[in-house]
Amino acid sequence: MAVPTETFYQFPEGFLWGSSTSGPQTEGTVEGDGKSMSNWDYWYSIAPEKFHAQIGPKDTSTFYKNYRKDISLLKETGHTVFRTSIQWSRLIPKGTGEVNQQAVAFYREVFSEIKKQGIQLIVNLYHFDLPYCLQEIGGWENKEIVYAFESYARTCFDLFGDIVDTWITFNEPIVPVECGYLGEYHYPCKVDMKAAVQVAYHTQLASSLAVKACHEMNSNHKICIVLNLTPAYPRSESSEDKTAARLAELFQTKSFLDPSVLGTYPEELISIVKEHDLLPEWTQEELDIIKENTVDFLGVNYYQPLRVQAPSADSKEKLTLDSFFAPYDMPGKKINPHRGWEIYEKGIYDIGINLKEHYGNIEWLVTENGMGVEGEEKFRKDGVIEDDYRIEFIEDHLIELHRAIQDGSNCKGYMLWTFIDCWSWLNAYKNRYGLVELNLESQERIIKKSGYWFKELSQNNGFRK
Ligand code: GAL
């Protein structure tokens, strides 16, 4: 009988292993901490029933209080890199102007502690969380917010630039556009293509201004944007389906990828936007800022592919994204049964090769990938969650990532979503993603099987399968 052969997947020297999280999803708030309401706090205050089990952003995983313990868990699970974000509403409660000194002390302690543990730190400025007072004056539809963000970014670089040298401008900027201006999963829950285009353009301009500020203030600091570069695969080879896939990528990935990395918007996107009278208010000076301030590297979040087909004729009546492409439910797809999402490991390879071939082989990191599981407590054995499905999920994606690197893609690290079960927007704690379990009642933290496995992965800089 043939003995199955195993391969050791060795990653390049210095490859980073770690995870990502965000301020609004972990910190929680405590009375008197000086934080103001973010758009999420406000939304929860008026519509708590929208949030799973009515758990709101105040009750996230108490990192604000327990950060020392959590940072020690980073070490125990083999992290060599970690990403979190600053909450704008904590640092500058009124959106502009006065800085909350308690927030400065908190973030300085957190960042110093992470560095003290020898973990590389990457800090994101914006993870879907706008101070609510800025939403009240129009949010990202209002150009003033762009300049408020620039000033917030400069404050962060000034306050923490001595500890943090690697920054992120925005996490998944297309998500608030799609979910908040073309859908109802983020506040302000509008469906308005014109507003969506304006918000997307303003966000890109804000990101480019932050890149500019970062380089002006510390020429040796690096800054990136994190994009969910979900590849779109057509249902068939028909030209209608292929066009739908091209348009899906144009709206959902190239709309930020091209200006952030190449400094320009794709011609086809500009002409579609023009044709439908959706052009945002723009100036040549702003386009020059975008052109001249591209990112140093890229963060990529990848969970599942987008399968698309040509839209149906009736979806063209009122203009939405559905007028350009429709989702396709592919029969026989591999699925994560505990979350309902498709699993398609090769997507990560395709992303790596796309960046190599069309984006100057820019340096990139996987900044999110992971497996959400509902009802994970049923996998507990002798007190520990035996999440073999998560280990397998990570391994299978890493095999494809390894192949992309072998084929020349410039990936420098892999960061899981996430190190400890955290609060995930409207889904709250429904799906668990962590290497560490969080008990919601006692706030106890227990390392899962995957957490011990991840440490070995990091120590060996690879794994056998
Ligand atoms: C991502 C997002 C994270 C987290 C994750 C898992 O899209 O960046 O904040 O919620 O999904 O749901």
Side-chain angles (χ1 to χ4, degrees):
M1 203 170 81
V3 181
T5 51
E6 285 196 333
T7 305
F8 186 77
Y9 294 94
Q10 172 82 61
F11 281 78
E13 209 187 315
F15 196 76
L16 295 167
W17 298 102
S19 71
S20 290
T21 193
S22 77
Q25 293 175 272
T26 53
E27 288 171 11
T29 45
V30 294
E31 229 31 72
D33 62 8
K35 182 185 170 315
S36 71
M37 266 206 286
S38 71
N39 47 355
W40 290 94
D41 297 307
Y42 174 74
W43 197 17
Y44 181 74
S45 78
I46 56 164
E49 70 288 351
K50 286 195 185 290
F51 293 73
H52 182 74
Q54 302 219 8
I55 301 178
K58 221 175 150 181
D59 300 315
T60 59
S61 28
T62 59
F63 184 76
Y64 191 76
K65 283 195 240 153
N66 294 307
Y67 66 89
R68 278 189 203 283
K69 167 77 189 152
D70 288 351
I71 295 169
S72 74
L73 285 167
L74 293 180
K75 202 70 201 164
E76 279 180 57
T77 49
H79 283 62
T80 58
V81 65
F82 180 60
R83 138 160 101 115
T84 186
S85 72
I86 294 173
Q87 292 199 71
W88 186 353
S89 57
R90 183 183 294 291
L91 191 69
I92 307 178
K94 294 198 173 115
T96 54
E98 205 186 324
V99 169
N100 171 12
Q101 292 308 325
Q102 289 186 74
V104 177
F106 166 68
Y107 287 120
R108 284 200 71 86
E109 277 179 43
V110 168
F111 299 160
S112 311
E113 185 64 26
I114 292 170
K115 299 287 288 230
K116 224 168 40 198
Q117 297 291 342
I119 296 169
Q120 181 167 330
L121 172 67
I122 307 182
V123 175
N124 177 20
L125 299 173
Y126 193 89
H127 203 117
F128 308 161
D129 57 323
L130 186 69
Y132 179 65
C133 51
L134 299 182
Q135 186 69 54
E136 276 184 308
I137 56 163
W140 287 102
E141 284 178 74
N142 180 349
K143 194 154 294 187
E144 269 182 50
I145 307 305
V146 173
Y147 296 101
F149 178 82
E150 184 195 3
S151 144
Y152 156 65
R154 284 184 184 269
T155 305
C156 292
F157 302 146
D158 184 36
L159 287 169
F160 309 114
D162 59 328
I163 330 177
V164 183
D165 59 12
T166 311
W167 296 93
I168 298 169
T169 59
F170 285 83
N171 176 73
E172 299 187 351
I174 193 70
V175 169
V177 174
E178 269 199 87
C179 295
Y181 292 87
L182 295 170
E184 300 189 341
Y185 298 99
H186 280 208
Y187 198 75
C189 317
K190 277 189 177 181
V191 179
D192 178 342
M193 271 294 256
K194 182 105 181 149
V197 173
Q198 188 71 59
V199 166
Y201 174 69
H202 280 163
T203 313
Q204 177 60 53
L205 179 60
S207 175
S208 305
L209 282 165
V211 170
K212 180 168 183 276
C214 176
H215 290 151
E216 277 170 10
M217 292 174 69
N218 288 294
S219 56
N220 57 341
H221 283 193
K222 283 188 153 194
I223 188 157
C224 79
I225 190 165
V226 166
L227 302 176
N228 43 325
L229 295 185
T230 304
Y233 300 98
R235 172 185 59 177
S236 74
E237 287 302 300
S238 76
S239 69
E240 292 81 2
D241 286 341
K242 279 165 63 182
T243 300
R246 194 182 71 247
L247 294 178
E249 285 196 355
L250 196 61
F251 283 107
Q252 297 191 311
T253 62
K254 292 189 174 171
S255 53
F256 282 98
L257 180 60
D258 284 30
S260 292
V261 176
L262 307 175
T264 49
Y265 281 100
E267 283 303 326
E268 188 177 14
L269 185 61
I270 298 175
S271 58
I272 294 176
V273 163
K274 260 192 198 155
E275 185 192 324
H276 295 282
D277 195 22
L278 298 169
L279 265 191
E281 280 171 36
W282 61 279
T283 66
Q284 188 54 48
E285 194 194 339
E286 291 165 357
L287 291 184
D288 291 344
I289 289 169
I290 294 173
K291 172 115 207 136
E292 283 154 21
N293 296 284
T294 53
V295 292
D296 301 315
F297 68 107
L298 202 62
V300 175
N301 296 352
Y302 175 67
Y303 289 90
Q304 55 172 343
L306 186 63
R307 305 238 174 237
V308 298
Q309 56 188 333
S312 59
D314 61 344
S315 63
K316 292 188 179 160
E317 279 162 22
K318 179 175 188 295
L319 197 69
T320 66
L321 283 187
D322 298 344
S323 321
F324 301 96
F325 59 91
Y328 168 56
D329 189 5
M330 187 178 79
K333 66 189 176 194
K334 179 173 168 188
I335 217 140
N336 161 8
H338 319 292
R339 172 78 171 91
W341 280 0
E342 180 178 353
I343 299 180
Y344 185 64
E345 301 87 352
K346 184 171 172 284
I348 217 163
Y349 176 85
D350 292 344
I351 291 171
I353 298 306
N354 181 35
L355 294 179
K356 177 182 165 208
E357 287 177 356
H358 303 290
Y359 294 89
N361 207 13
I362 186 169
E363 188 178 311
W364 63 290
L365 293 169
V366 175
T367 36
E368 285 182 33
N369 174 232
M371 190 176 183
V373 173
E374 193 176 351
E376 199 166 41
E377 53 295 338
K378 63 175 172 282
F379 296 103
R380 191 192 316 281
K381 235 172 135 191
D382 300 328
V384 173
I385 291 189
E386 301 224 328
D387 50 349
D388 293 287
Y389 42 83
R390 180 167 290 112
I391 297 173
E392 192 181 321
F393 178 98
I394 302 172
E395 283 175 344
D396 292 347
H397 282 83
L398 285 177
I399 290 173
E400 287 296 324
L401 182 62
H402 186 266
R403 194 158 72 86
I405 296 171
Q406 297 274 298
D407 288 349
S409 187
N410 200 6
C411 180
K412 301 293 188 193
Y414 175 87
M415 301 166 80
L416 186 76
W417 186 270
T418 179
F419 89 104
I420 184 165
D421 293 336
C422 71
W423 181 85
S424 210
W425 320 111
L426 291 186
N427 277 335
Y429 283 96
K430 184 166 171 227
N431 303 300
R432 303 301 186 102
Y433 284 85
L435 295 172
V436 178
E437 179 196 359
L438 176 75
N439 179 315
L440 286 190
E441 277 75 51
S442 64
Q443 293 294 316
E444 193 189 352
R445 281 96 159 119
I446 308 170
I447 300 181
K448 299 179 195 174
K449 185 173 176 184
S450 59
Y452 296 105
W453 174 83
F454 199 82
K455 182 171 194 178
E456 267 179 49
L457 168 73
S458 165
Q459 282 173 339
N460 299 331
N461 199 26
F463 65 100
R464 193 172 294 284
K465 188 160 179 167

